[in-house]
Amino acid sequence: IQINYQSIGSGGGIRQVIEGTVDFGATDGPMSDEQLGQAKVKILHLPTVLGAVVPAYNIPGVSGEIRFTPQALAGIFMGAVRNWRDRAISAANPGLHLPDQPIVVMHRSDGSGTTFVFTDYLSKVSPEWKTKVGAGTSVNWPVGLGGKGNEGVAGLIRQMPGSLGYIELIYAQQNRIPYGSVQNAAGQFVRATLESTTAAAASVKDMPADFRVSITNPPGRDAYPIASFTWLLIPTRLRDDAKGRALRDFLDWMLAEGQRIAPQLSYAPLPKEVADRVKTTIAQIQ
């Protein structure tokens, strides 16, 4: 079986699933009720792994880890915090020599689940962000330069001294881009790791039946605050029976061998109780 998967951004994936031009899609930001209502058949959200979105930066001469408060991140992306020496950043980083240099903000230019996760987080920690910008796979950014895909934003960060952007953890690690720790709801500065991403998922006490849930800014002391499930968007009825069988087999593989591979790619495996529920849900696919 061959699967042709294109990383066109969650916005494009959702659109193609709604139009029925692909067999399945994927997203880090769940579809809205309105989007689900536009689809020709019922669409399932099946969690696959847990991922983290990190504030990644390029500051020549700064090798230490920068600690970001929620207020600093919201201020930077609102355009209110414009210099690396701004007190909103320096107060949380005593002893770290930050340059007197403008912050160059980077964000996604395409519809993106990564953007949804990041803006969902900012909407929870900043009333101003929630009111003026809000959460979504695409938003009207107050400031910044846009890059296509995680790879595009990572490339811009690497090229531009003084830059800061949000990317998935694997892109920061693969491109050797420094990234900071973020202060969580418990007041702890936490770095994105498999363990801290798993701790974020532990905050979900009642997983909804359709698996559409937000785990940004969770209450746990060890939880990384900008984390999310990532979902496959699976139509419950495919026109081709052979494709339906192949897709169910792929999903079974994803819940077994696939989970063991996930940590190698900087994603955390699903909690066992979630994986068990997903396995039951797969039976709805025809």
Side-chain angles (χ1 to χ4, degrees):
I1 299 296
Q2 289 187 328
I3 296 175
N4 176 10
Y5 180 85
Q6 299 174 2
S7 58
I8 63 170
S10 296
I14 289 172
R15 185 169 58 253
Q16 291 187 0
V17 166
I18 290 173
E19 292 169 352
T21 57
V22 292
D23 297 310
F24 70 94
T27 182
D28 292 339
M31 294 172 66
S32 66
D33 289 344
E34 181 183 357
Q35 288 172 329
L36 287 171
Q38 294 170 5
K40 298 178 178 67
V41 298
K42 181 181 177 182
I43 304 296
L44 301 174
H45 284 70
L46 298 185
T48 57
V49 290
L50 293 153
V53 177
V54 298
Y57 48 85
N58 174 1
I59 312 174
V62 176
S63 57
E65 177 186 303
I66 297 177
R67 305 199 303 180
F68 292 97
T69 63
Q71 295 75 24
L73 285 175
I76 291 168
F77 282 85
M78 281 296 300
V81 177
R82 301 180 181 181
N83 192 289
W84 282 108
R85 279 201 186 161
D86 192 293
R87 179 157 178 78
I89 304 171
S90 60
N93 293 277
L96 188 63
H97 182 70
L98 294 166
D100 181 9
Q101 183 174 8
I103 300 171
V104 183
V105 175
M106 305 296 185
H107 57 73
R108 290 284 289 271
S109 60
D110 53 332
S112 155
T114 310
T115 294
F116 177 85
V117 176
F118 191 66
T119 57
D120 180 54
Y121 165 74
L122 292 180
S123 294
K124 288 183 181 180
V125 300
S126 169
E128 183 185 16
W129 183 275
K130 183 176 182 179
T131 301
K132 294 183 177 180
V133 184
T137 53
S138 295
V139 298
N140 291 319
W141 293 99
V143 292
L145 304 173
K148 185 172 174 55
N150 274 289
E151 58 275 20
V153 176
L156 286 173
I157 295 169
R158 291 187 68 181
Q159 295 169 22
M160 191 77 69
S163 58
L164 171 75
Y166 61 92
I167 51 178
E168 288 190 31
L169 175 60
I170 183 66
Y171 288 88
Q173 293 179 334
Q174 285 186 341
N175 290 282
R176 295 184 172 87
I177 302 174
Y179 56 96
S181 57
V182 182
Q183 189 178 36
N184 66 14
Q188 304 297 309
F189 285 94
V190 179
R191 190 168 171 83
T193 63
L194 297 181
E195 292 76 19
S196 62
T197 304
T198 300
S203 67
V204 181
K205 302 307 179 189
D206 296 305
M207 174 68 79
D210 62 6
F211 299 108
R212 290 186 296 163
V213 66
S214 167
I215 59 171
T216 54
N217 203 41
R221 177 182 173 84
D222 300 320
Y224 180 69
I226 318 179
S228 176
F229 286 98
T230 182
W231 297 268
L232 289 182
L233 304 174
I234 310 289
T236 52
R237 189 175 68 255
L238 275 74
R239 290 186 293 269
D240 186 322
D241 290 343
K243 279 187 176 181
R245 287 192 298 273
L247 193 51
R248 288 194 297 273
D249 288 345
F250 170 66
L251 294 170
D252 285 337
W253 173 90
M254 177 270 291
L255 290 171
E257 289 91 336
Q259 295 298 300
R260 293 192 283 273
I261 295 172
Q264 302 170 26
L265 302 171
S266 300
Y267 293 94
L270 294 174
K272 183 181 183 303
E273 59 274 17
V274 176
D276 289 344
R277 281 184 54 186
V278 172
K279 194 168 184 66
T280 302
T281 307
I282 290 172
Q284 297 182 35
I285 302 168
Q286 299 176 1

